[in-house]
Amino acid sequence: MAKQDVEEVIGETVLVVKEGQGGNEGEREMEKEGSHRHHHPYAFHVSGPRNVSSPNWRDLISSSWKDGNYRRTVIACFIQAVYLLELDRQENRTEANALAPKWWIPFKYKLSQTLIDERDGSIYGAILEWDRSAALADFILMRPSGAPRAVLALRGTLLKSSTIRRDVEDDLRFLAWESLKGSVRFNGAFEALKSVADRYGSSNVFVAGHSLGAGFALQVGKALAKQGIFVETHLFNPPSVSLAMSFRNIGEKAGFVWKRFKSMLPSSSETQASSDERANTCSVGLKKWVPHLYVNNSDYICCYYTDPAGAEGNHADKENVAPPNGQGPAAKLFVLSKGKQKFLEAHGLEQWWSDDLELQQALNNSKLISKQLKSLYSLPAPQPTQGKP
């Protein structure tokens, strides 16, 4: 029998079995050195983007960061790096064989901080900063126009034994309450984002996340916007389904009749002035903080962001819709439609740096976006005045 080499991939180890040479232990050899870097499915050269070049001196003249496709691709790679930072930690990889750095080094960024959940020791976020030394080594004398000074990237749910409990706990928190503010990860992400925004200026900082991480990114970005700090925000497959929303929708159907009746009643000049003031507040806010949402229609977790049904097209409730008269949108919504896809493919992060990606910018005043941003762009309810005794 002719000799035959059979490769069996087990996890990260490539086991080479040589048949026809006897049955002792010497017939098996392990490929150890660099095997996980060369063969691991999450290695940058295996599953990373193919047609994205590293920054070079030409970017000083025409920056790649001004291209929306390039920007989306790099930000998605940074989020993938956070997933891999946690996997590197769980699988005890060293600095020499870690997978995560390959996802930021080509773009001339460096890791400056990891966000760690002290309850389980897991890494759920990271701050990546422009690496001036690496850039100078390639004759890039300054940061290209549009490239952020720092990016806070937040991962989504990782179904591994070390992380599943806390990750799913936050998933259920959002499902039940449509809010992540009770999570310790919200506080950690908010403090980290505010810190780098104070250090470098909000115009030089991005925040981004995928899935559950997109939920955190949206809420910490909105919390900063309420303080007048507007950070560019990129949300990949953000969660759009919650029990709280479903219950509220039931109440809204009952309340629709009351709204119609109320609209037929004569309104006082005071009420009209209050409504106009709310609309003006909305217009100002929308021009300053406009999150970017990347949604796949086949992903049931985020697809409801694309549903315009129920949006108040008649602008009866000015707190709850995009501002009139062609003012800025509530969000930039980019939709990927590839027909029917399996959930894991439609919800995956890898699709956002694929070569054949075709996006369309959809209607940006969906009911769900309006709900998410309502508290940011509306004035607080007026307090009742107390009469004199």
Side-chain angles (χ1 to χ4, degrees), residues 237 296 336 341 345-354 357:
N237 301 89
N296 187 316
L336 175 62
Q341 290 178 282
E345 181 183 1
H347 191 67
L349 182 59
E350 184 174 348
Q351 64 184 314
W352 300 111
W353 63 72
S354 63
L357 187 63

Side-chain angles (χ1 to χ4, degrees), residues 69-207:
N69 290 328
Y70 181 89
R71 180 176 299 205
R72 181 197 67 250
T73 294
V74 177
I75 296 299
C77 287
F78 288 171
I79 300 171
Q80 178 74 348
V82 180
Y83 279 103
L84 293 176
L85 279 170
E86 173 56 21
L87 289 178
D88 285 344
R89 181 192 73 85
Q90 291 184 21
E91 297 171 12
N92 299 316
R93 296 192 185 96
T94 65
E95 183 178 352
N97 60 20
L99 295 170
K102 297 293 184 180
W103 290 82
W104 65 69
I105 288 176
F107 307 111
K108 302 296 183 288
Y109 279 79
K110 63 182 178 181
L111 179 66
S112 67
Q113 180 184 344
T114 54
L115 276 60
I116 300 175
D117 189 327
E118 295 180 353
R119 299 168 301 176
D120 59 8
S122 66
I123 298 171
Y124 64 92
I127 294 177
L128 301 172
E129 296 184 1
W130 175 254
D131 190 344
R132 186 170 179 271
S133 297
L136 288 174
D138 284 346
F139 305 102
I140 306 173
L141 305 180
M142 64 183 67
R143 183 164 44 95
S145 176
R149 183 68 179 83
V151 177
L152 170 60
L154 301 165
R155 68 167 175 84
T157 304
L158 197 57
L159 299 179
K160 297 284 188 177
S161 58
S162 300
T163 52
I164 188 171
R165 178 182 175 186
R166 298 304 180 187
D167 287 3
V168 172
E169 181 180 294
D170 282 331
D171 287 326
L172 295 176
R173 185 189 306 275
F174 184 88
L175 178 64
W177 304 109
E178 201 178 343
S179 175
L180 295 165
K181 288 188 176 181
S183 171
V184 297
R185 295 182 180 183
F186 174 89
N187 296 329
F190 177 82
E191 292 172 3
L193 184 60
K194 190 175 188 306
S195 176
V196 291
D198 291 342
R199 189 185 319 159
Y200 299 124
S202 59
S203 62
N204 294 315
V205 175
F206 290 2
V207 60

